[in-house]
Amino acid sequence: METHVTESLLTESLEHLQKSGDVATTLRRYPEKAETLQPLLETAQQLIAHYADVPHPPTNLRDGRAEVLAFAAVQRAAQIAIASKRGVTARRPTFAGRNGAARRQPNPFLRLAAVLAVLTLILIPLRGPLVAAARTTLPGNPLYILKLSSEDQLFSSMNEAEVKVVLAMSLTQERVEEVRALVEKQQEIPIDVFYRADYMLRTALMEAAWAPEPLMPNMLSYIIHDARQQSQQLEMLKMQATAKNLGALGNMQTLLLKTQIIAMVALENPETFREAYQAGTPEKMPLPSGGPLSGVVITDELKQLVTSTPDSRLLIEPVVPLIPLLTPTASPTPAP
Amino acid sequence: MRTRETVLLKRAQAYEEQAIAELYDHYAPRIYSYLYRRVHDAQVAEDLTSEVFVRVLQALQSEQFWHTSFQAWLYRIAHNQVIDYYRQQTRQQEQMHQVPLEDQPEATGIENVIADPSADIDATRDAREIAGGLEAALSRLTPDQQQVLVLRFGEQMKTQEIAAIMNKTNGAIEALQHRALATLRRMLDPGKV
């Protein structure tokens, strides 16, 4: 009982301390318990001072806000798509397609329903025991080619740009998982994994350029988010990687960094991005020194990495120090 | 506010951008501060803040709703993020210990600052030592004790609010707070308690 009284009294005195900010003033209210309370209140005061020191968030919570809203936009689109499956499809306007021919304007929300289907297809092996076994194989295994082939088949069976963006990023994640398994087994990461990831990342950007206008910013945000997370996953693997694998990890991080930068530039200059990537000339994407890349030091080396075709000979040394320079400030506008 | 919040959450459940933005703008700064006080790294705290809100949106779909207070629920999700973060850190450290010393990356950041012989400003050093001592002592408290102190003295919450977050009675929170302060005091200054 005595303890309970003291606890209530402590709570009351702490509340007083938080208001007054002064131990002596608070103690004067409880003279009979002052001796017991003093050390506790002094400790509390230390804690109040200690916890008051909170630095500003690095991007003022802007990046997180954009990520949360992008996540919500994709989810909302999927929800609407599922609901609209039961509705009547209205005749839609047209816009210029890849070959200049008129192309039917798709319902962007309906398209995203397929995203869920794609992910289900990736996660659930439906194509027989051999392919199912191949899904878990690593580079070097004879079944690995079957795994890549089933991925290609899946990819080519998809028509919609935004579905392909999501699938391309999922397949890049699959490469990251393979890298993780190889690093954990202390096996060498073959260059094929690197090329395959590069191909998928470039495909993701290329397909984002073909996404319907309201969805393109979300697709670019999606790419940035995934590429950043994948880069972080690779960073964590470095501690257990062999010297040779460290180089490969750095190379893959460079690819992911490059993808993030292009997507950020694209968010700022969507028209230029669309023109360059729809025309198949990604090297024409300009690299501004400010805007979404403010705070990022654009070195000649980085410019070269962003505009050149990846070549493992150029990337033997990991370009890890570039990673912390990436401080995007762009706030992508999700679809209404 | 509670009614407005309920409406906002209903709209957030339908992924309505404006509602989510409003909830984020209202709660994210507080959640960030709380997370920073738990992980002591601004970048990590900022990343975890967005993760908390993504989890909120996911949980809203699976109907893992809050029962009494959205704020309490939000802090509970944030607390779980902190636990996950430290689990991950522990795993990383275990892996680090398996790497031979000569292969480990060089120390950076605070270790270098502390070891820097040119850092000779007494006041700064004293403040850092006090903060370091307090931080070290805090890290030796139980997770519940740490949590109650951050919520009380960092978030300036009342016993009732803390009880809602930690899913305990008011009495249990007061007892926990008492034990946490007394233990901390003993660690910081063994002679005085």
Side-chain angles (χ1 to χ4, degrees), chain A residues 44 86 174 193:
Chain A
R86 301 184 198 99
E174 187 63 28
V193 178

Side-chain angles (χ1 to χ4, degrees), chain A residues 79-89 107 109-110:
Chain A
Q79 254 186 2
I80 294 171
I82 291 162
S84 70
K85 270 182 177 173
R86 301 184 198 99
V88 179
T89 311
N107 178 342
F109 301 126
L110 192 58

Side-chain angles (χ1 to χ4, degrees), chain A residues 179 183 188-191 194 234 237-238 241-255 312 314-320:
Chain A
V179 165
V183 167
E188 193 178 325
I189 302 167
I191 194 75
F194 173 85
L234 294 175
L237 288 174
K238 284 183 177 170
T242 59
K244 205 162 186 180
N245 276 349
L246 268 180
L249 288 172
N251 289 344
M252 275 192 71
Q253 281 188 312
T254 305
L255 282 182
S312 61
L314 292 174
L315 302 169
I316 290 166
E317 290 302 318
V319 199
V320 182

